[in-house]
Amino acid sequence: MPEFLDKRLLFVTGKGGVGKTTVAIALGIRAALEGKRTIVCEVSASENASRMFHQSEVGFREVELANDLWAISIDPEESMREYVLLQLKVKAMRDLLFRSKMFTYLAAATPGLNELVTIGKIWELAQLDRKVKHGRKYDLVIVDAPATGHGISFLETPRTFANIARVGPIHSQGLALEATITDHEHTGAVIVSLPEEMPVNETARLERELSGRIGMAIDRVVMNALYPDRFSPADLKRLDRLRGSGDDEVRAAGRAAASQARRVAAQREQFARLQEMVAAPISTLPFVFRPELDLKAARALAEEIA
Amino acid sequence: MTSIERVIDGRQIVICAGSGGVGKTTTSAAIALGMAARGLKVCVLTIDPAKRLADSLGLDELGNEATRVDPKLLARHGIDAAEGGELWAMMLDAKETFDALVARHAEDAAARDRVLGNRIYQQISGALAGSQEYMAMEKLFELHSEGRFDLLVLDTPPSRNALDFLDAPRRLIQFIEGRSLQIFLRPTGLAARVAGRGASVVLSVLKRIVGFDLLADLSEFFTAFSGMIDGFRDRAHRVNTLLADRRTCFVVVCGPQGQPIDEAVFFHSKLVENEMHFAGVVVNRVRYRLGTRAPRLRDLSTRIEAELGGGGGPLAEEAARNLIEYDVLAQRDARNVARLAKSLGDEHLIRVPYLDTDVHDLAGLAEINRYLFADEETRIGLATGDGG
């Protein structure tokens, strides 16, 4: 088992479209198979995970997807209600606050508040001693975090609020969240990448920002969707003759082989660039030749993660 | 199916929208490049903090001002712009644009400095959720008003949800008109109450959760903004009007997998609902079927082996498996594209094939343009022909 699954909190991030959700779920499946009680959190409304699990709606509640594997979609508004209740302890008082115009306006107008309460909820899920009603204890919380640009400001939110507030409850909570995020024993990050020019560039930048500016531990870079290296130069030379065939499909096979070889070569070049550009250890995942990345694909990938 | 030139014909603004990782930046740059080559003065705007466009255009850095892409660089890649054709590019700096807006709308220098110097403003102006989206449109509006370019192409921010972009000006207007700000600004508003007069239960509860200091800072921030509200509101309305203008059109960019296709269909319906002009949809990285009829591994392998001659068995099987795996994805792409064509109309759809090499420079953009600017028949020939 990859050693970083022993941490309590893992943020899975990367450029848009690199397969963050798939990797987050594959990691969750793997950890659950290893006997860790795991929860995968979605932080935006896109519901990628529920789509994959064919759950019509995960929603803002802890749903069991498989043995030891849970999921939640973190809704900022619900997180805020829960947080305020934990602070005030009295439901009537919370409801009074939420009914007041002043509070709703303030909540809507304060920038970054959604991100702050979302991270607060993630923190809460990772507590051993959970204060919310029916809260279960998890060994591992995996977050399907926002893509590159938004991901950095998302993870920076606690510090931003700690700085803005200077003193008081928000200040101390901001500091506590920041301390959790930057605690290398407790929290880690996995950056998902693809063997292409721009994703490799962004992976290097993301590693720099998350580790340098925010101070997080980068446990792994996952190079996703690598093609199998099928044909040697001698093979290709031999296959070249297929392109003169009178059989359409045989000709197509020759063409597909040549294309595949060019893509493998391009991927290899990008993989070498990634190895040069990042400091974290790199794991690889194979390209999945399936029409959609479903649960079966995620299960297969779970076995592959090293 | 059609060409990009036809779908954006006569428009002055093209907004490329779609979820992250579908090739929006590349598509925006390719459209701008292609139209410049056809004799228009074009500027492409990106707000991607990853400086992807700068990389694509061979520029070291794009500032918050439009920079012309060196014609010699274009010529070196075989792109000779027609008479009058120029390619410009800029990368939006959300904070700089925000600062400029504040400066424009402030009543006087003192009011401007109060906002620019406010600690909350300094923390949020760069990172505020939705601010990038709004600032992109703001810059677009500014460039359009100046009338320096024949065509503006906007690469929308890499938000997970393309709708965030459409919503940005409306949210800002709502925020202002919904009196979220005013609550702080009335004589009896929060600002005054925080300062000491009045002590409702709500306020004391609020103080307990948020802390007095932060509450005071927030109200100071909103008060500092108060003089600019009219300016902002007016501007946001005009930006919103420009978005719905006939001169503006949207090109939806997506990939051929199920989820991006669903998102494209949904985004299209939102455009229609908001009475904005949908021009077309570009599906990137489509695996064209290579004239195959769902072959079986054993059979195809035997036919390949016959062509290869003696001892070619294992290689033939590998080549057959390779084609069949490709074809699984090609069939999926064909199904998804057909589904898209059914809901959006075939005449709005442009497929760009999955190329053997990855596109990240001018040569790659020129290659993409062979497909974007061709008609479907030519595209199929290019993508599936034996010479390709």
Side-chain angles (χ1 to χ4, degrees), chain B residues 273-293:
Chain B
E273 197 181 302
N274 285 287
E275 298 183 357
M276 297 196 180
H277 301 276
F278 165 74
V281 55
V282 174
V283 193
N284 281 320
R285 300 179 156 215
V286 177
R287 287 171 170 86
Y288 279 67
R289 291 196 76 188
L290 300 170
T292 39
R293 302 163 300 273

Side-chain angles (χ1 to χ4, degrees), chain A residues 48 111 227 247 249 255 262 291, chain B residues 128 259 293 354 356 383 385:
Chain A
N48 283 334
Y227 289 122
D247 179 335
E249 289 186 334
R255 208 179 120 83
R262 279 196 291 272
Chain B
L128 178 57
Q259 194 177 352
R293 302 163 300 273
Y354 180 45
D356 290 352

Side-chain angles (χ1 to χ4, degrees), chain A residues 13-40:
Chain A
T13 180
K15 180 183 175 297
V18 296
K20 277 185 300 294
T21 303
T22 311
V23 171
I25 289 171
L27 284 171
I29 293 172
R30 177 62 178 270
L33 288 175
E34 306 275 356
K36 287 184 181 295
R37 189 185 263 266
T38 306
I39 186 162
V40 178

